[in-house]
Amino acid sequence: MAATSRHLLLHACIIPLFVVHTFHFHSTVSFSRHPTYINSALKPNEDDTSSSRVTKPKPKRHRLQQRREITTKNRTDLETWRIFGIDVDPDALGTSVTTRNVAETDNSIPSPDRSYLTPPVLASLLSRLRIKSDTVASSINDDESIIALPPQLKDARVVRRSIDARRRRGAPPKYSYVIDVTLSKEVASLQLKLSHQPGRMERLAIQNDGINTTTKEGILLPNTNHGIESNTKQKIIIVGAGPAGLFCALSLASSGLFTPIVLERGKPVEARGKSIGALIHRRSIDPESNFSFGEGGAGTWSDGKLTTRIGRNSGPVRFVLETLVKYGAPNKILVEGSPHLGTDNLVRLLRNMRADLRSMGGEIHFGTRVNKFHIEGGTITGVDAICTPSQERSNPICLDVDDEEMTKSFRGDAVVLATGHSARDVYYELHKSGVELEAKGFAVGFRVEHPQCLINEIQYGKDWGDRVVTKRSSTDAANTEHFSKDATDSERHSGVLPVAAYRLATNEANDGNSTRGVYSFCQCPGGQIVPSSTEEGELCINGMSFSNRDSLWANSALVVTVSPDDAILDSYRLLHGSLAGLEFQRDMERKAYELGGGGMRAPVQRLTDFVNRKRSETIPTSSYRLGVTSADCHDIYPEPLYNALAHALVYRFEKNMPGFLCDEALLHGVETRTSSPVRVLRDGGTLQAIGVDNLFPSGEGAGFAGGIVSAAVDGLLVANAIMTKFVPLHSNTLFKDVGAVTFDY
């Protein structure tokens, strides 16, 4: 069955997955496989600049190069400090924040840690370090990617850049940077008197000089075992081609010791796009190829968020991000505080990943839905799958099966279960096969949509909201018009701001008897609402956006938590046991389908009418392209869930974001698949399913991740666990101290 994780991968990924026994992962000091240095003492020698060859004065740029080479000899005298909270006024940056992001997949464009270190950023850094500098050179020889540093600093690079829209005491929005600076120990301690202050200024551990052994194409790491005959490699069956399944497969394939066989129930990304087109234009849903199922998982047609709760700068997370860049993601994801890919980038990434997997001897079978697990004597030996005929016969990447549906058996040394949380049939088959499952917390609710210009105003204020630029003329014109009535010439700014986003959360939403958590989830600025249903007669929706985030609307899930022992699940638990959450989700989706009037129309309600329990007489425009119907959305969920949502909106979210609760906000029903309501139990050490040897549950569907990055990391963890079991000498120290990801509400 190859259902995939909800926030895929995409939204997709990896450079040749590491060959564990030869891979040297950079410490947190180095965040790029190909680090760039600005006036750096760490840059490797490039030219022979010995004194015997100097016969005439060298240009300024050449003298700087000489200085780099001379100081490189004293690396042991250098140390790196991470400086947090380097704030810069958007007006000081002007339009450079967007012009420097154009065509970042072009190798000629400097990496963000280089191009983002502009003169205003450097000036703010020097002020923070109390380094006096009369001028900050903007460039050398008109090369905008090179910034001249003062003599105290040997190197400086941007680690992270984010927008701070917290308008405390009326303060304007600002760009906030985290910058690593390298300098001599003497300058740090005696001249600048730097002191370790967690979260403000931190001295980093000494960096090991790891060698990057990646090939130019970023496909394989050198491995003496790549000469092993394919028929002697151990076969690992991987069910699902989402981020967990793909990263696991690429990791195993790159080791040269395994043949990963990926089984995906959906179609390759190219054909999947046609299935989605049929759904949007003809309301024809393919239960195996849609917004939830297919190559890349649910994240492929979502926002492609790369935020995670498991540590942005941990080794595995950095590896995932760098791998995505190697497969074609914009390199700014290594620096941006809230990175995202967008569906358009994910499509290209997935094609590249697929090609590399096959070039390394891995297999990927589309249209192959797993429907049976072979478990003999407590050990899984393989799976059966229903294979559907390819609808893209001219495309060699598609499954080569007969013209009629057939069942095929796949046998291997281990099975990785990396299906997404929408693959409900997998849970029932696991339960039938005796695999231990447990109910876990999840969340359900709605999608709320606002005009993006309104979110820009709430987050940035009337004097800054018009400086949001998407480069889509109709959207930018609408934003300008929204602010034109309040703006005066004296209030105009020259800086540029990104499309405004938000996050809201409370754990104190009153449901009538107790408190619950209510959250915004998977917020999509400049996005649209899409149907994520997988079966006829059920309606579930999700949000997505392209990389430019340039639509007229902003949407977000607005969800309330449901605990495993929640009283609202009592009747479901009596009939379905640990699968109670699945049946509850289904019931809510059926109610939403009926309220919408069928045909996958979405029931909607103005947010103000929702909290007042009345049907909306009129409704604003919506990005949901299958149509909307005014309905009593307040009646869909049980009373405690409605109470908690309404309480959070009135007493928490409106206070945190004045203007959020407004007539222009439109609630769409329903969003139920925020995470899996079931977890496949696994051993914390071996990562094998409890009671079933060689079965490795992984990713979001198994209950161990919550997004693209965490799912990819969990896939890597499982790959390493497989190597540890079958070829222990080749396990990777990158995961030595990394525990299971897990994900719960």
Side-chain angles (χ1 to χ4, degrees):
M1 169 129 325
T4 46
S5 304
R6 166 195 173 77
H7 296 284
L8 158 224
L9 180 97
L10 294 154
H11 224 263
C13 346
I14 312 194
I15 160 166
L17 275 149
F18 58 93
V19 171
V20 292
H21 62 292
T22 61
F23 177 69
H24 298 281
F25 193 86
H26 288 191
S27 74
T28 55
V29 177
S30 177
F31 287 143
S32 174
R33 287 187 180 279
H34 301 288
T36 55
Y37 301 97
I38 300 88
N39 195 18
S40 169
L42 301 181
K43 187 172 182 179
N45 295 351
E46 293 181 345
D47 304 308
D48 180 0
T49 57
S50 62
S51 58
S52 62
R53 296 187 59 186
V54 179
T55 60
K56 60 181 179 179
K58 300 297 181 180
K60 183 178 180 181
R61 187 168 184 172
H62 192 86
R63 293 199 302 272
L64 288 173
Q65 180 63 36
Q66 280 186 304
R67 177 182 165 195
R68 294 189 187 107
E69 295 171 350
I70 293 172
T71 54
T72 300
K73 299 176 182 179
N74 301 318
R75 291 187 180 184
T76 58
D77 295 329
L78 301 178
E79 58 187 25
T80 299
W81 286 74
R82 178 159 297 164
I83 313 300
F84 297 83
I86 304 301
D87 296 331
V88 181
D89 189 311
D91 280 339
L93 295 172
T95 61
S96 63
V97 281
T98 55
T99 57
R100 290 177 180 273
N101 290 345
V102 177
E104 290 191 30
T105 55
D106 187 339
N107 292 332
S108 65
I109 301 299
S111 61
D113 62 355
R114 185 180 211 178
S115 64
Y116 286 13
L117 191 67
T118 58
V121 177
L122 180 57
S124 181
L125 171 66
L126 298 184
S127 175
R128 177 69 172 281
L129 295 175
R130 299 190 297 276
I131 296 176
K132 294 182 179 181
S133 180
D134 296 334
T135 60
V136 176
S138 60
S139 64
I140 299 176
N141 291 343
D142 298 322
D143 185 343
E144 293 185 0
S145 67
I146 297 180
I147 301 295
L149 299 182
Q152 294 94 328
L153 303 183
K154 307 303 181 184
D155 183 33
R157 61 180 174 274
V158 175
V159 174
R160 188 177 309 130
R161 184 192 73 170
S162 57
I163 186 74
D164 185 351
R166 297 170 297 175
R167 294 184 290 130
R168 297 172 178 172
R169 298 180 181 179
K174 57 192 176 185
Y175 283 96
S176 184
Y177 295 76
V178 177
I179 300 178
D180 281 359
V181 297
T182 301
L183 65 174
S184 70
K185 295 179 180 179
E186 180 180 4
V187 168
S189 61
L190 299 180
Q191 184 175 344
L192 301 182
K193 298 181 180 179
L194 303 183
S195 61
H196 187 83
Q197 304 170 55
R200 177 177 170 80
M201 184 181 299
E202 299 177 0
R203 183 180 184 276
L204 301 183
I206 297 176
Q207 175 185 354
N208 294 323
D209 288 331
I211 300 174
N212 177 16
T213 56
T214 308
T215 64
K216 180 179 180 181
E217 295 78 13
I219 295 178
L220 288 176
L221 295 172
N223 188 329
T224 56
N225 292 298
H226 280 296
I228 296 177
E229 295 294 332
S230 60
N231 59 1
T232 65
K233 297 179 182 179
Q234 289 165 306
K235 294 183 178 180
I236 309 297
I237 299 169
I238 299 174
V239 186
L246 287 173
F247 271 81
C248 182
L250 286 165
S251 179
L252 293 172
S254 69
S255 73
L257 305 170
F258 301 89
T259 298
I261 302 171
V262 181
L263 309 181
E264 169 55 53
R265 71 190 299 166
K267 295 178 181 179
V269 68
E270 300 90 341
R272 186 180 176 190
K274 296 181 180 180
S275 299
I276 289 174
L279 172 59
I280 295 298
H281 297 292
R282 300 194 298 274
R283 303 176 189 273
S284 174
I285 184 169
D286 183 339
E288 306 299 346
S289 180
N290 42 59
F291 279 94
S292 295
F293 295 155
E295 187 177 20
T300 304
W301 265 270
S302 184
D303 192 46
K305 288 180 179 61
L306 301 177
T307 52
T308 176
R309 302 180 186 181
I310 61 175
R312 171 69 190 274
N313 291 321
S314 67
V317 169
R318 294 302 307 182
F319 181 78
V320 167
L321 295 177
E322 291 175 358
T323 295
L324 291 171
V325 170
K326 293 299 182 181
Y327 277 112
N331 58 15
K332 66 181 179 181
I333 68 172
L334 301 175
V335 172
E336 291 291 354
S338 299
H340 82 113
L341 290 170
T343 294
D344 43 341
N345 281 321
L346 285 167
V347 170
R348 180 179 66 255
L349 290 170
L350 287 170
R351 289 198 301 260
N352 293 340
M353 293 177 71
R354 181 205 309 151
D356 277 357
L357 177 61
R358 285 178 164 157
S359 73
M360 291 185 285
E363 301 177 17
I364 182 165
H365 300 269
F366 296 104
T368 305
R369 178 171 60 86
V370 170
N371 67 337
K372 184 176 181 180
F373 299 93
H374 290 280
I375 300 175
E376 304 169 3
T379 299
I380 192 166
T381 59
V383 301
D384 286 349
I386 296 176
C387 302
T388 55
S390 170
Q391 298 181 20
E392 302 293 323
R393 293 314 242 170
S394 62
N395 192 335
I397 65 173
C398 295
L399 181 65
D400 52 346
V401 299
D402 296 333
D403 290 335
E404 295 183 0
E405 187 173 271
M406 59 177 287
T407 298
K408 186 175 181 180
S409 291
F410 295 85
R411 295 302 173 112
D413 298 283
V415 174
V416 176
L417 186 67
T419 55
H421 57 57
S422 289
R424 291 165 172 166
D425 49 342
V426 172
Y427 297 119
Y428 289 104
E429 184 60 31
L430 289 169
H431 181 70
K432 178 181 175 181
S433 300
V435 178
E436 286 196 52
L437 308 174
E438 71 172 0
K440 63 176 281 290
F442 60 104
V444 296
F446 302 90
R447 275 267 153 189
V448 62
E449 184 170 72
H450 294 75
Q452 181 62 56
C453 57
L454 180 59
I455 298 300
N456 294 342
E457 178 181 340
I458 293 173
Q459 293 297 79
Y460 295 146
K462 293 182 178 180
D463 56 338
W464 273 100
D466 67 330
R467 297 308 302 154
V468 173
V469 177
T470 67
K471 297 186 178 181
R472 183 175 182 177
S473 58
S474 58
T475 298
D476 290 341
N479 192 65
T480 299
E481 181 180 359
H482 175 83
F483 290 95
S484 61
K485 60 183 180 296
D486 300 308
T488 65
D489 291 341
S490 62
E491 294 172 331
R492 296 292 183 182
H493 295 277
S494 60
V496 172
L497 295 173
V499 175
Y502 64 85
R503 182 179 184 276
L504 294 166
T506 179
N507 287 318
E508 300 177 352
N510 192 310
D511 69 359
N513 295 309
S514 60
T515 57
R516 292 176 183 264
V518 176
Y519 309 88
S520 62
F521 181 85
C522 188
Q523 201 266 319
C524 299
Q528 58 185 291
I529 296 175
V530 296
S532 56
S533 304
T534 52
E535 297 180 38
E536 292 283 357
E538 299 176 358
L539 178 64
C540 181
I541 57 175
N542 191 17
M544 69 160 283
S545 63
F546 293 103
S547 57
N548 289 335
R549 289 178 164 175
D550 56 5
S551 89
L552 293 169
W553 296 275
N555 72 77
S556 175
L558 191 65
V559 296
V560 55
T561 56
V562 179
S563 64
D565 58 352
D566 206 303
I568 68 171
L569 297 178
D570 284 349
S571 60
Y572 296 91
R573 215 165 7 247
L574 288 174
L575 295 175
H576 306 286
S578 60
L579 302 179
L582 290 177
E583 292 303 319
F584 174 77
Q585 288 176 328
R586 274 185 157 158
D587 268 4
M588 299 305 103
E589 292 171 15
R590 289 167 184 150
K591 290 177 69 173
Y593 186 88
E594 293 173 1
L595 276 178
M600 300 196 73
R601 293 177 62 87
V604 298
Q605 190 174 21
R606 290 183 187 268
L607 202 56
T608 48
D609 290 335
F610 175 78
V611 299
N612 290 317
R613 287 181 176 272
K614 71 174 186 178
R615 182 176 299 192
S616 300
E617 295 182 2
T618 62
I619 52 178
T621 58
S622 167
S623 68
Y624 185 73
R625 296 175 61 185
L626 276 72
V628 297
T629 302
S630 180
D632 296 329
C633 292
H634 53 271
D635 287 337
I636 294 178
Y637 290 109
E639 192 73 6
L641 301 190
Y642 166 80
N643 289 340
L645 284 166
H647 184 273
L649 283 165
V650 174
Y651 297 104
R652 299 292 176 179
F653 297 169
E654 177 60 19
K655 290 184 177 180
N656 293 339
M657 285 182 64
F660 185 84
L661 180 56
C662 63
D663 285 343
E664 293 93 334
L666 190 63
L667 207 65
H668 298 63
V670 289
E671 169 110 2
T672 56
R673 307 184 192 183
T674 55
S675 71
S676 171
V678 180
R679 177 173 288 126
V680 184
L681 294 179
R682 73 183 186 188
D683 182 88
T686 66
L687 304 190
Q688 296 176 91
I690 300 295
V692 183
D693 200 27
N694 294 340
L695 175 61
F696 294 83
S698 180
E700 204 166 320
F704 295 98
I708 293 173
V709 172
S710 60
V713 168
D714 199 59
L716 294 174
L717 285 170
V718 165
N720 192 60
I722 291 172
M723 294 179 188
T724 299
K725 175 170 184 175
F726 292 101
V727 195
L729 293 179
H730 297 286
S731 60
N732 200 295
T733 57
L734 176 63
F735 301 105
K736 180 179 179 182
D737 300 317
V738 179
V741 177
T742 72
F743 183 81
D744 210 340
Y745 280 96

